[in-house]
Amino acid sequence: MTREPLGVLGAGWVGLVTAACFADLGYDVVVRDVLPERIEALQAGEVPIYEPGLADLIERSRDRLAFTLEPEEVFSRARIVFVCVGTPPMYSGDADLSAVWSVLDELPMRTDGVTLVMKSTVPVGTGEKVRTELAARGLSGVGYVSNPEFLAEGTAIRNFQQPDRVVIGSFAEEHGDAVAALYVHLNAPIVRTDVASAEMIKYASNAFLATKISFINEIANVCEETGADVSVVSEGMGLDPRIGPSFLRAGLGFGGSCFPKDIAALKQLAGNSGYHFQLLTAVIEVNELQKRRVVGKLVKHLGPLRGKTITLLGLAFKPHTSDMRQASSLVLASRLLSEGAHVRGWDPVAIEEARPLLKGVDLFDDMLEALEGADAAVIVTEWDEVRNFPFDEAGRVMKTAVLVDGRNVLDPDEARRAWYVYEAIGRPGVS
Ligand code: UGA
């Protein structure tokens, strides 16, 4: 079967994962980005982002992938073009859609027969605005489909190859059919709908997952007051299929490039339409306060933090990524610095990304060096190295064996046997 080439606009994380996975399925894919250094790196065989399995996939499908700076190269070859450009938050919390509008500016005058497939997360109503704009520019022949991505960093390849669902919202049936056909071999449920509903499915999914996290974090905080253990509470709740076990891990709250941005955008979207989304306001506030609670736990055991050395274990917003966007380590480090503490940070992959963001923090890629002489350590990101915390070696080099487990990954009994003062989130403190 001959497959028509696909286009991808934006060689960021979503664009590269999408391009590599479609190339792996046998499609020729032309990827365009505006950054010359990014395209040069990709042409030279380098993968400019860290995502497990991505570099291998790109290498394996090298013959089917082309990287270019020229939009015409995409539009002259591909009839289905995925839009994977960034939609970062603006100061107001609204999503910045300038990269989406640039795509329209670059459409050649005779682009009929092309369908733009929006993978970037865009506010509900964007598809309708794009359609109006296309018509105003005499490009009504360009199709538009909303096909939001549900990729999580660190597991993006698996999420693409074995999706829980594929959501396709279209104005015209035939454009949706063409996009649905691309996913048919993935054997996933395909939700066909209108464009606005597809856009909302993406926001509502992220907002619901973030709500689950803030909910369990509040339960954890009440557990601390009442002597219950949130780990067991989550397990007991999660066995109810109506609740489900995932996203019930209490900790320092959520970060990353998606949840904080998307829930802020959904809140703004609601507000701009005259609706006050109260629940989301609380979800955001709980998430902010959650990171700060660690300071109280440290003060409880160390007294005032001025002059104390605190080591943050893990800096990336979650394991298996070097992404520092909205990472809990950023808020925590600045809170500790403002208390007068000396702050150190360890991470196995994110040190370079962290350096410009964590001014005043000493950074290490060796965990024991980072712990040498420290008054306390705080687990911020649940890397495997942290899950297998070297109690004995660390206990020998730390000044005082105070450990705040911000991700509830260690066994409290093991910590106690190793003579640590151990604090977790929503679990009975063990000293
Ligand atoms: C999230 C969604 O999970 C994806 O489905 C979605 O496609 C993606 O956003 C996106 O919109 O592009 P991601 O941000 O990569 O993916 O990371 P998650 O694994 O969802 O974790 C988000 C944050 O929640 C992390 O900081 C993590 O530590 C935290 N988290 C997660 C918890 O605190 N507790 C949990 O139980 C689960």
Side-chain angles (χ1 to χ4, degrees), residues 149-151 153 202 206 213 247 249 254-255 258 317-318:
E149 54 88 10
F150 299 100
L151 312 171
E153 289 187 32
K202 168 68 189 194
N206 275 2
I213 297 171
F247 282 73
R249 277 180 288 114
F254 56 81
C258 305
F317 86 93
K318 68 173 191 178

Side-chain angles (χ1 to χ4, degrees), residues 30-354:
V30 193
V31 185
R32 188 266 174 155
D33 200 283
V34 291
L35 297 175
E37 62 277 15
R38 179 155 288 219
I39 291 301
E40 279 160 28
L42 287 159
Q43 285 168 340
E46 291 158 29
V47 179
I49 52 168
Y50 177 83
E51 175 62 34
L54 180 62
D56 287 347
L57 208 59
I58 290 183
E59 186 52 40
R60 205 160 74 206
S61 309
R62 179 137 291 281
D63 295 349
R64 286 188 292 278
L65 285 164
F67 301 101
T68 179
L69 283 167
E70 304 306 328
E72 303 82 61
E73 215 174 306
V74 174
F75 292 111
S76 63
R77 290 185 58 193
R79 296 211 297 174
I80 295 184
V81 177
F82 288 92
V83 181
C84 305
V85 296
T87 52
M90 295 192 291
Y91 191 69
S92 61
D94 294 277
D96 177 357
L97 294 179
S98 48
V100 171
W101 300 122
S102 299
V103 166
L104 297 198
D105 292 339
E106 288 172 346
L107 279 172
M109 275 320 285
R110 299 197 54 79
T111 321
D112 285 6
V114 163
T115 296
L116 294 176
V117 187
M118 187 59 71
K119 275 234 170 269
S120 305
T121 302
V122 292
V124 183
T126 301
E128 192 56 56
K129 285 186 189 154
V130 171
R131 179 159 76 150
T132 309
E133 186 62 27
L134 286 169
R137 295 178 185 210
L139 291 168
S140 318
V142 175
Y144 185 92
V145 171
S146 166
N147 173 217
E149 54 88 10
F150 299 100
L151 312 171
E153 289 187 32
T155 55
I157 307 286
R158 178 161 46 85
N159 297 147
F160 183 100
Q161 293 173 337
Q162 298 160 35
D164 300 318
R165 79 294 211 189
V166 173
V167 173
I168 294 175
S170 62
F171 295 115
E173 201 68 9
E174 69 268 23
H175 298 143
D177 292 346
V179 177
L182 302 176
Y183 292 100
V184 78
H185 298 296
L186 297 182
N187 289 325
I190 293 187
V191 180
R192 293 287 299 271
T193 181
D194 58 279
V195 171
S197 303
E199 292 167 341
M200 185 57 103
I201 289 171
K202 168 68 189 194
Y203 272 124
S205 300
N206 275 2
F208 186 76
L209 293 172
T211 304
K212 262 185 122 176
I213 297 171
S214 278
F215 179 83
I216 201 65
N217 281 338
E218 289 221 278
I219 293 288
N221 298 343
V222 180
C223 282
E224 286 180 10
E225 301 300 321
T226 53
D229 182 338
V230 75
S231 318
V232 190
V233 174
S234 297
E235 190 187 335
M237 288 170 64
L239 286 168
D240 182 333
R242 293 169 302 176
I243 298 173
S246 42
F247 282 73
L248 286 182
R249 277 180 288 114
L252 299 181
F254 56 81
S257 62
C258 305
F259 286 176
K261 161 176 89 81
D262 292 352
I263 56 176
L266 179 54
K267 190 182 146 188
Q268 281 313 318
L269 180 78
N272 296 345
S273 332
Y275 183 73
H276 176 50
F277 204 144
Q278 293 191 57
L279 189 56
L280 279 190
T281 306
V283 167
I284 295 166
E285 192 177 310
V286 168
N287 196 49
E288 279 311 308
L289 296 175
Q290 195 65 12
K291 306 174 203 336
R292 293 159 196 258
R293 288 174 64 86
V294 168
V295 176
K297 289 177 193 286
L298 289 168
V299 169
K300 184 165 117 193
H301 297 290
L302 299 175
L305 298 180
R306 174 159 297 280
K308 298 280 170 21
T309 299
I310 314 292
T311 301
L312 304 182
L313 296 176
L315 302 172
F317 86 93
K318 68 173 191 178
H320 311 295
T321 172
S322 59
D323 199 337
M324 286 293 299
R325 281 176 287 180
Q326 304 286 322
S328 298
S329 60
L330 299 174
V331 174
L332 198 49
S334 37
R335 275 296 296 115
L336 292 171
L337 286 170
S338 64
E339 291 290 319
H342 300 302
V343 184
R344 295 180 185 168
W346 163 86
D347 196 281
V349 304
I351 294 295
E352 286 320 309
E353 284 78 355

Side-chain angles (χ1 to χ4, degrees), residues 350-398:
I351 294 295
E352 286 320 309
E353 284 78 355
R355 206 175 297 286
L357 302 170
L358 286 173
K359 297 262 187 306
V361 175
D362 294 326
L363 299 174
F364 296 80
D365 52 18
D366 182 293
M367 194 197 290
L368 288 176
E369 268 177 38
L371 290 169
E372 178 98 46
D375 293 280
V378 181
I379 296 179
V380 183
T381 316
E382 62 276 37
W383 287 101
D384 288 344
E385 291 89 331
V386 171
R387 288 179 183 279
N388 302 313
F389 187 71
F391 284 107
D392 294 340
E393 292 98 312
R396 276 196 289 275
V397 298
M398 287 176 73

